[in-house]
Amino acid sequence: DPQPVALAIEPLDGKRDGLRIADGVLAAVLAHGASLATDLWVAEGAPDSIRDALTKQITNTDLTTPVHSYLAPVIAYMTAVGMARRPRWRVLLWAVLLLNAFAVLIPGYSTPFSIIVTVLIGWTVAYGTLYAVGTPNVRPTGQTLLAGLRRVGFKPVAAVRVEEPEPTHADRRDPGYRDRGRRYRVTLEDGPPIDVTVVDREQQAQGFFYRVWRRLTLRGITQRRSLQSLRQALEQEALLAYAAIAAGANAPRLIATSELGPDAVMLVYEHIGARSLDATPDEEITDELVRAAWRQVEALQSRRIAHRRLVGDALLVDRSGTVYLTDLRGGEIAAGDLVLRMDVAQLLTTFGLRVGAERAVAAAVDVLGPDAVADSLPLLQPIALSRSTRTTLRRLAKERAQRERAAVLEASRANREAKEESAHTAQAAAQDRKSLRAEKNAEKRAIDEAMEEAREEDLLAQIRQQVLLIRPQAPIEPARLERIRPRTLVSFIAGALAAYFLLTQLSQVEFSKVVGEANWAWVGGAVLFSALTYIAAAMSLLGFVPEKVSFVRTVLAQVAGSFVKLVAPAAVGGVALNTRFLQRAGVRPGHAVASVGASQLFGLGSHILLLLFFGYLTGTEHTPTLSPSRTVIAGLLTAAVLVLIVTAIPGLRRFVSDRLRSLFAGVVPRMLDVVQRPQKLLTGIGGMLLLTLLFVMCLDACVRAFGHEASYASLAVVFLAGNALGSAAPTPGGLGAVEAALIAGLIAFGVPKEVATPAVLLFRLMTLWFPVLPGWVSFTQLTRKGAL
């Protein structure tokens, strides 16, 4: 086959890059060895399923080759030397792969999985080799840059790298920031200095997966091509630079372009003595400067040119206050209305972060007019903004929430001190129940007032309000930009895996035998226990709600939750539904969230304690002494190690603490209200214990329905572990994860597989699927009556 020889000669003839060729040869040798090793393993020791997937029977004694040992080295070599990133060689590579696939698949000399494994071996070995030995530096040196400038007619004397400001965490994650290129200021023998931007393949590849994700998830928005050759990137930026100047916008004038070898290009601009908007102090950002920036955007939009990244470092301001637009590489010619409105929304947010919503909107209206600004409101949403802007908005939201919590805590402390002083001066009044209730109500009012005073609207809401003051009829409903949401994608993948798991389990169950052998008396008991769980769930919720709420409607809300489980993960759907129900029942929003959070917090604590208690009992059932189960000890050690890891790593510690703080914010004051009513607290805790007991009894009835018995301690451990896993799973109702955990747990405690599988399926039928129709009826009825 002459192809590997030609592939090896091409880099030597073009670059004479010995290190890269050595990496390619090493990767090809390792890929060949990996292919031979895979062939030997499949032929000698692989399971029959893998052998059947990778080979086909040719004769009675001969099989096809599992892996194409001649093709994997070619793929590894081309990937290691970087030729697969060049357009022509990339087309040639895929053409060879497709032709080879057809040549061996059509006559029956291979299988599709064999082709896939061959490609994966080539890629894996190539990238592993590059990771192990390192990749040669493709960045052009200073001498290469100066030589490239001489080729296009300049006489450079020296080139100095322009020092960029230290990038923030958001900048490092923003592909638009990372692919701007390295900037140099070059001094010439005669004439003013010039600015040179150098872009290489390494920078161009950064942000690839983020761009692919945005292209897949955003509708109606043309993302720039995820894979471009360096020449295509150079031509696009040159086109945008010339188009912006032709439109009347201030942009650095592009005076030359050139390639710096096969791995880098340069763009030469006239030098502008200016600094970025991010580097400009707030006091120097005047209204006239803001209007000047908007005039540049107006010039672009008059020719339907979109910038696509109007952030602070893309706007340059010189000493006279003239604004220049840079970083046009990600822009778009003949842009649609949606993209142009996104530019307006982005620049509104950029200036809103620096000068406030009022000044940003006023300047935009002065230049663009109220209609153009009002049309951008549906695009004023985080997903339409740049990645660095979204990160800044999230940081400001966290700071705003911290200030609100601090104000509430300060108000609570001041009221507590005032109450203690009044207790010292008027003990008789403090012992009066009415006086205590009045003081309590006064404290609640003070906390609510402090919350209202500390509440701050986010920047996007402030911008909307300023625009609505000018155009009250402006559309404010956010435009639907997402084609697919991350939660939807995760749920779909998890649901597919769950469906695969269930089908594999169901294929091993003989339903005719199961139906014939099932004890229908115990099935009826499982139905009864499943129905009673909704009463226990209502008790566990109302026990943490001091206000008076209808018990019957609360039970119906819990039944409606069985329908919500199918459209959201179990933990998320139940929390949202109960919070909404309490708000509709007259409980203040903050108190409703706190009550549900208190219920969740106590439920988590009781869940852990019951799991430890019953796990301990499982270790004492077969031993004369009170020794805990080895499984429980292993679980405790694992949990302890995870806790140590989380507490030892600052990033994880902050992440967990922030999530817990936001989840249970306001729970402590709410618990103080509940503790003053012991009857309520006992109802809540009793409901939680009863809920767990009923679920365990339902699982026990399902196991007994198929002629097997197990201890309640073992069943409790199995249920609690499976329920915890189901709450963490992203699938609706924990589908798939719960079934796997329950079946594995029952088998681990001695229940035969022939009994464990149908018993778990019956249990899930009673607790997940049968309640769906009553849940939908309850959900519809409560919604019609305004209770949800």
Side-chain angles (χ1 to χ4, degrees):
D1 188 353
Q3 184 188 6
V5 178
L7 298 179
I9 291 175
E10 189 274 340
L12 284 173
D13 184 55
K15 286 187 58 183
R16 302 184 182 274
D17 190 346
L19 291 177
R20 180 172 296 182
I21 297 302
D23 291 345
V25 172
L26 177 60
V29 172
L30 294 178
H32 185 69
S35 302
L36 295 179
T38 304
D39 288 344
L40 181 62
W41 174 71
V42 172
E44 300 293 337
D48 293 339
S49 58
I50 296 180
R51 187 180 296 111
D52 294 340
L54 296 178
T55 61
K56 293 185 69 174
Q57 194 79 31
I58 301 178
T59 65
N60 294 333
T61 57
D62 296 332
L63 297 174
T64 60
T65 304
V67 178
H68 301 267
S69 56
Y70 64 89
L71 189 59
V74 175
I75 298 172
Y77 178 85
M78 292 189 68
T79 304
V81 300
M83 292 163 54
R85 292 175 294 185
R86 305 182 190 181
R88 295 179 181 177
W89 286 100
R90 184 171 64 237
V91 172
L92 177 61
L93 172 62
W94 284 108
V96 170
L97 290 178
L98 291 176
L99 290 175
N100 179 82
F102 280 113
V104 296
L105 286 176
I106 293 177
Y109 294 142
S110 184
T111 66
F113 284 106
S114 176
I115 300 294
I116 294 173
V117 171
T118 300
V119 175
L120 291 178
I121 288 178
W123 283 345
T124 303
V125 171
Y127 289 120
T129 302
L130 294 177
Y131 181 80
V133 303
T135 58
N137 188 4
V138 298
R139 295 182 176 180
T141 63
Q143 294 299 326
T144 305
L145 174 62
L146 296 179
L149 289 171
R150 294 188 184 99
R151 283 198 303 270
V152 292
F154 294 98
K155 297 179 180 180
V157 176
V160 179
R161 176 79 179 272
V162 176
E163 293 296 332
E164 299 283 353
E166 182 66 22
T168 64
H169 178 69
D171 289 334
R172 294 188 181 96
R173 298 181 61 191
D174 190 353
Y177 179 89
R178 293 181 296 179
D179 67 1
R180 292 187 308 168
R182 292 185 302 280
R183 300 177 179 181
Y184 298 87
R185 184 167 300 155
V186 180
T187 304
L188 303 178
E189 291 183 2
D190 51 353
I194 56 176
D195 293 329
V196 180
T197 299
V198 176
V199 181
D200 55 42
R201 293 189 185 277
E202 179 183 345
Q203 292 173 311
Q204 190 190 26
Q206 289 179 338
F208 167 74
F209 293 106
Y210 175 74
R211 290 193 294 269
V212 170
W213 173 251
R214 296 274 290 184
R215 192 180 187 92
L216 292 175
T217 56
L218 295 185
R219 63 173 74 204
I221 300 176
T222 305
Q223 292 287 114
R224 75 177 178 88
R225 294 178 58 180
S226 300
L227 285 176
Q228 287 181 315
S229 68
L230 286 172
R231 176 169 289 277
Q232 288 172 332
L234 183 148
E235 292 173 348
Q236 180 178 359
E237 182 161 354
L239 175 63
L240 265 297
Y242 291 139
I245 295 176
N250 295 329
R253 191 166 71 91
L254 183 65
I255 55 180
T257 60
S258 177
E259 291 185 348
L260 298 177
D263 294 314
V265 296
M266 70 173 182
L267 299 101
V268 183
Y269 293 94
E270 285 187 343
H271 174 66
I272 297 177
R275 55 184 173 180
S276 68
L277 183 69
D278 286 343
T280 304
D282 291 342
E283 59 272 13
E284 296 184 18
I285 303 179
T286 62
D287 291 341
E288 179 55 36
L289 188 150
V290 179
R291 284 192 291 270
W294 280 111
R295 282 192 286 270
Q296 304 308 310
V297 175
E298 182 187 28
L300 291 183
Q301 300 211 345
S302 65
R303 302 294 178 86
R304 305 197 69 80
I305 301 173
H307 187 283
R308 302 296 298 275
R309 193 173 176 273
L310 288 170
V311 294
D313 56 25
L315 302 174
L316 299 183
V317 183
D318 65 7
R319 295 180 179 178
S320 64
T322 304
V323 178
Y324 293 85
L325 300 178
T326 62
D327 295 336
L328 292 164
R329 187 178 310 141
E332 186 176 332
I333 301 292
D337 291 337
L338 187 67
V339 181
L340 296 177
R341 289 154 59 195
M342 285 178 63
D343 269 359
V344 177
Q346 174 64 60
L347 194 56
L348 279 173
T349 309
T350 298
F351 278 121
L353 291 171
R354 297 301 306 274
V355 301
E358 184 177 358
R359 291 177 60 191
V361 172
V365 171
D366 289 344
V367 177
L368 301 182
D371 293 334
V373 177
D375 289 341
S376 69
L377 286 189
L379 280 304
L380 197 65
Q381 48 182 308
I383 192 174
L385 306 177
S386 70
R387 198 170 188 175
S388 58
T389 304
R390 296 199 303 269
T391 303
T392 303
L393 292 176
R394 284 195 296 267
R395 176 178 57 80
L396 294 177
K398 289 182 180 180
E399 295 175 355
R400 187 170 59 252
Q402 291 175 356
R403 289 193 296 269
E404 291 178 357
R405 284 196 295 268
V408 172
L409 293 176
E410 178 63 23
S412 178
R413 185 189 61 80
N415 278 276
R416 194 181 305 111
E417 292 178 354
K419 186 168 63 175
E420 290 176 356
E421 293 178 359
S422 63
H424 288 300
T425 57
Q427 295 182 357
Q431 294 175 357
D432 188 10
R433 176 176 294 183
K434 293 183 179 180
S435 299
L436 288 174
R437 187 178 296 113
E439 290 179 0
K440 180 181 174 183
N441 293 333
E443 181 179 1
K444 288 183 179 179
R445 285 194 300 270
I447 293 176
D448 292 340
E449 291 175 357
M451 177 69 79
E452 291 295 334
E453 292 177 359
R455 183 172 288 113
E456 305 174 24
E457 290 186 336
D458 67 288
L459 177 64
L460 301 185
Q462 295 177 24
I463 294 175
R464 291 190 191 96
Q465 287 185 358
Q466 292 298 322
V467 176
L468 291 176
L469 291 176
I470 302 171
R471 275 288 185 271
Q473 70 277 16
I476 60 174
E477 185 68 23
R480 176 68 186 275
L481 299 178
E482 289 179 299
R483 181 182 289 112
I484 182 173
R485 297 181 180 180
R487 179 181 297 177
T488 304
L489 182 61
V490 171
S491 298
F492 176 78
I493 296 175
L497 295 175
Y500 174 77
F501 168 78
L502 289 179
L503 289 176
T504 56
Q505 294 293 330
L506 292 175
S507 63
Q508 304 174 9
V509 179
E510 299 181 11
F511 285 97
S512 59
K513 183 179 179 181
V514 168
V515 174
E517 294 181 355
N519 188 327
W520 291 98
W522 284 111
V523 173
V527 173
L528 176 62
F529 295 140
S530 176
L532 292 176
T533 57
Y534 297 101
I535 298 177
M539 294 172 56
S540 65
L541 176 63
L542 292 181
F544 297 92
V545 182
E547 293 83 359
K548 186 177 181 180
V549 180
S550 172
F551 182 79
V552 175
R553 285 198 172 184
T554 307
V555 174
L556 292 177
Q558 306 314 303
V559 177
S562 61
F563 168 70
V564 178
K565 286 181 182 179
L566 292 183
V567 294
V572 177
V575 169
L577 184 135
N578 286 328
T579 303
R580 177 68 171 175
F581 169 74
L582 292 180
Q583 292 179 10
R584 288 292 189 175
V587 182
R588 294 176 63 88
H591 293 168
V593 174
S595 294
V596 176
S599 175
Q600 293 287 316
L601 181 61
F602 265 79
L604 176 63
S606 64
H607 200 100
I608 295 175
L609 293 177
L610 289 174
L611 184 59
L612 295 177
F613 174 73
F614 286 113
Y616 189 92
L617 290 183
T618 58
T620 66
E621 290 178 344
H622 304 290
T623 57
T625 60
L626 293 176
S627 58
S629 169
R630 293 182 179 180
T631 304
V632 175
I633 294 177
L636 290 175
L637 291 177
T638 303
V641 171
L642 291 176
V643 171
L644 290 176
I645 292 175
V646 170
T647 54
I649 301 176
L652 284 177
R653 186 171 63 247
R654 287 193 299 269
F655 175 80
V656 174
S657 62
D658 291 343
R659 291 299 183 273
L660 291 178
R661 190 181 298 113
S662 61
L663 180 62
F664 299 116
V667 169
V668 176
R670 194 61 166 170
M671 287 307 305
L672 295 177
D673 296 339
V674 176
V675 169
Q676 297 178 7
R677 301 185 179 185
Q679 184 179 359
K680 280 280 187 180
L681 186 61
L682 290 177
T683 300
I685 297 177
M688 291 178 182
L689 298 177
L690 180 61
L691 182 64
T692 301
L693 177 62
L694 289 172
F695 273 121
V696 173
M697 293 175 68
C698 181
L699 180 59
D700 177 64
C702 294
V703 173
R704 290 176 183 269
F706 295 98
H708 193 84
E709 295 183 10
S711 67
Y712 275 101
S714 302
L715 293 175
V717 171
V718 171
F719 166 74
L720 291 169
N723 188 53
L725 185 59
S727 298
T731 55
L735 188 64
V738 174
E739 287 82 359
L742 294 180
I743 292 174
L746 290 178
I747 294 175
F749 282 105
V751 180
K753 184 178 181 180
E754 295 76 12
V755 174
T757 301
V760 169
L761 294 178
L762 177 61
F763 175 75
R764 292 290 280 170
L765 191 66
M766 298 298 172
T767 58
L768 179 65
W769 297 108
F770 274 177
V772 170
L773 182 57
W776 175 79
V777 174
S778 299
F779 185 85
T780 305
Q781 188 71 14
L782 291 175
T783 303
R784 185 178 299 125
K785 293 182 178 180
L788 281 180

